[in-house]
Amino acid sequence: MEEIYDSSIVEEWLAGSGIRDRFDTEEMQFSVRRYSKGEIIASPDRPVRGLMFIAEGSGGIYGIRKDGSLNPVSLVSSPGIIGDFEFLEAGMTPFYMEAMTGMVCIVLHTEECRERLFQDPRFLCVLLRSIAGKFSMLISIEGVEGTVEDRLLRYMHDFCSDGIMNGVEKTMYMLRCSRRQLQRALSCLCEDGQIERIGKGRYRLLM
C-alpha cells in the first residue's frame, strides 16, 4: 500500500471524484491510497483506517466461515465506500477486504471529525445508502435457493445495470461458484433464451 499526502495530488483526485459534494462538513483531512491486486486492505485483526472512497478499481468484502470457506458480502467499486461499517463501530470489522484489481482510494481521516460527521445529514444519507446496498446484495443472493442458474438470474435482475452482467470473475465471486459451474449456467440460460452473450464476459438478461 502506498499513501499519498501531497496536497496537489490529493486535490486533483478530490476534484475529479465529487467526494466533497457528499458532505456538509468542511475542513477535513484527505489522502490517497494505492493498493495492488490481491492486497488485503483490512481484516478483523487489521481494521480499516478512515473512510475510503473508491476512485479506481474494485474490492471484495467477505467473511470466513468456520469450515474455512469464503462468505462474500459485497463487491465495491467507484463510487463505493470501504469502512462504512467500521466507521459506526469505531474501526472494528468482522470482514476481510481485498483488492480485486489495482485500486486507488481517497481516504477521509475521521479521527478529528468523527463527531461532526454524526451531525452531517448529507454524509449520513450517503453512509446509509452504502450499508443498505451491501446488505441488500448479500440477503438477496443468499435468499435464493436452487441452482447456480437461479442465483445468476436473480443477480442479473437485481444488481446488474440494465440486466447486463460484466465479468466472469466478479460474478463467480458473488455467486460463490466455480468458473465451470458459472460457464455451464451461462450456456444453459443462453440455450433457453433467457440471456444472450453480447461480448467477452458480458451477458444480457432477456426475461
Side-chain angles (χ1 to χ4, degrees), residues 36-70:
S36 302
K37 180 180 179 180
E39 190 170 355
I40 299 298
I41 298 169
S43 63
D45 62 347
R46 191 174 67 187
V48 173
R49 295 183 292 114
L51 276 167
M52 302 169 57
F53 299 86
I54 300 175
E56 287 185 1
S58 61
I61 302 174
Y62 56 88
I64 297 181
R65 300 186 180 94
K66 291 182 179 180
D67 64 3
S69 62
L70 298 187

Side-chain angles (χ1 to χ4, degrees), residues 34-38 54-59 99-105:
R34 297 181 182 273
Y35 291 93
S36 302
K37 180 180 179 180
I54 300 175
E56 287 185 1
S58 61
M100 308 302 286
T101 66
M103 291 179 65
V104 177
C105 298

Side-chain angles (χ1 to χ4, degrees), residues 23-188:
F23 301 91
D24 291 317
T25 304
E26 299 179 350
E27 298 182 2
M28 299 182 295
Q29 181 187 8
F30 292 90
S31 65
V32 173
R33 287 183 193 152
R34 297 181 182 273
Y35 291 93
S36 302
K37 180 180 179 180
E39 190 170 355
I40 299 298
I41 298 169
S43 63
D45 62 347
R46 191 174 67 187
V48 173
R49 295 183 292 114
L51 276 167
M52 302 169 57
F53 299 86
I54 300 175
E56 287 185 1
S58 61
I61 302 174
Y62 56 88
I64 297 181
R65 300 186 180 94
K66 291 182 179 180
D67 64 3
S69 62
L70 298 187
N71 182 28
V73 173
S74 183
L75 282 170
V76 286
S77 56
S78 178
I81 301 174
I82 294 174
D84 41 12
F85 291 97
E86 295 71 28
F87 175 78
L88 296 176
E89 296 296 329
M92 302 308 295
T93 177
F95 303 119
Y96 291 80
M97 303 176 196
E98 179 180 340
M100 308 302 286
T101 66
M103 291 179 65
V104 177
C105 298
I106 302 171
V107 184
L108 169 60
H109 297 268
T110 56
E111 297 87 350
E112 295 183 358
C113 60
R114 181 179 174 81
E115 294 306 317
R116 286 188 289 151
L117 289 173
F118 276 117
Q119 305 300 318
D120 186 329
R122 188 182 302 184
F123 164 69
L124 291 176
C125 286
V126 169
L127 193 70
L128 180 61
R129 285 195 294 269
S130 176
I131 292 173
K134 291 170 183 173
F135 270 117
S136 176
M137 179 175 287
L138 174 64
I139 293 169
S140 179
I141 296 174
E142 285 279 359
V144 177
E145 295 183 0
T147 64
V148 175
E149 288 90 337
D150 295 330
R151 301 206 309 277
L152 176 58
L153 290 172
R154 171 64 68 86
Y155 172 71
M156 293 179 69
H157 182 272
D158 290 354
F159 299 105
C160 295
S161 179
D162 298 322
I164 296 176
M165 184 198 103
N166 282 297
V168 171
E169 295 292 337
K170 174 181 178 180
T171 306
M172 287 167 51
Y173 179 87
M174 291 311 304
L175 300 185
R176 298 175 300 285
C177 65
S178 68
R179 180 180 294 272
R180 177 177 294 181
Q181 288 174 315
L182 179 57
Q183 293 290 4
R184 186 184 301 119
L186 290 167
S187 177
C188 288

